[in-house]
Amino acid sequence: MTATAAVRRVLIIEDCVQDALLLGLAFEDHAPDVQVQVVSDGASGVAYCQSLEPPQVVLDLHLPGQTGVEILIQLRRQATAPFQVICWSSHAHPAEIQAVLDQGAVAYLEKPRGIEGFSALVSTLLALQQVQPSADPILS
């Protein structure tokens, strides 16, 4: 089974339209069989994840109105089935990263700075779906 066969749905919770668009386009190019949904706030993300087959979630740590930690706690409380949450940000404090890892995030990833980095990010997200959390869940 390939990595792309395992991940069928990905939810991107991201308020930056450009970052969400670039990640979505990278999925189209490198994993076209993966369904990608984008929402811009935590409440919409929590509602989307209450399905019988929750997606892998890419959660921005800095959203208006709620922190990534608050959203992650809500996602975990209201989950109907197990699923992975990968947090990402372009700038996160080490304590903030540790807080989301302590709340069950599989990993923390830095947002890519260039377009080519989004393709690599898709590969990383698909690979993370195949493994359990590692001893070093902070990836750049």
Side-chain angles (χ1 to χ4, degrees):
M1 177 186 297
T2 65
T4 55
V7 177
R8 292 287 178 222
R9 297 183 334 146
V10 171
L11 173 65
I12 303 168
I13 304 175
E14 172 62 61
D15 64 320
C16 177
V17 174
Q18 294 86 353
D19 287 344
L21 178 63
L22 289 171
L23 186 53
L25 289 172
F27 268 104
E28 279 183 30
D29 288 346
H30 300 287
D33 57 327
V34 175
Q35 296 175 2
V36 177
Q37 177 70 32
V38 177
V39 298
S40 62
D41 62 89
S44 298
V46 170
Y48 187 84
C49 288
Q50 291 178 337
S51 66
L52 293 177
E53 185 184 335
Q56 182 183 48
V57 175
V58 179
L59 172 61
D60 182 18
L61 289 183
H62 302 115
L63 294 168
Q66 283 186 298
T67 68
V69 174
E70 292 168 336
I71 296 167
L72 180 57
I73 290 169
Q74 289 177 352
L75 287 169
R76 293 288 180 217
R77 279 188 193 147
Q78 299 188 24
T80 58
F83 63 98
Q84 287 186 329
V85 177
I86 295 95
C87 293
W88 74 335
S89 179
S90 55
H91 58 284
H93 188 274
E96 184 178 32
I97 295 168
Q98 190 59 53
V100 293
L101 296 174
D102 289 346
Q103 290 297 325
V106 173
Y108 166 79
L109 303 171
E110 279 193 34
K111 287 184 182 180
R113 297 202 193 312
I115 294 172
E116 66 284 343
F118 283 88
S119 296
L121 184 62
V122 167
S123 296
T124 300
L125 291 169
L126 295 173
L128 281 171
Q129 201 277 335
Q130 296 295 316
V131 298
Q132 296 298 317
S134 67
D136 184 16
I138 302 172
L139 308 171
S140 55

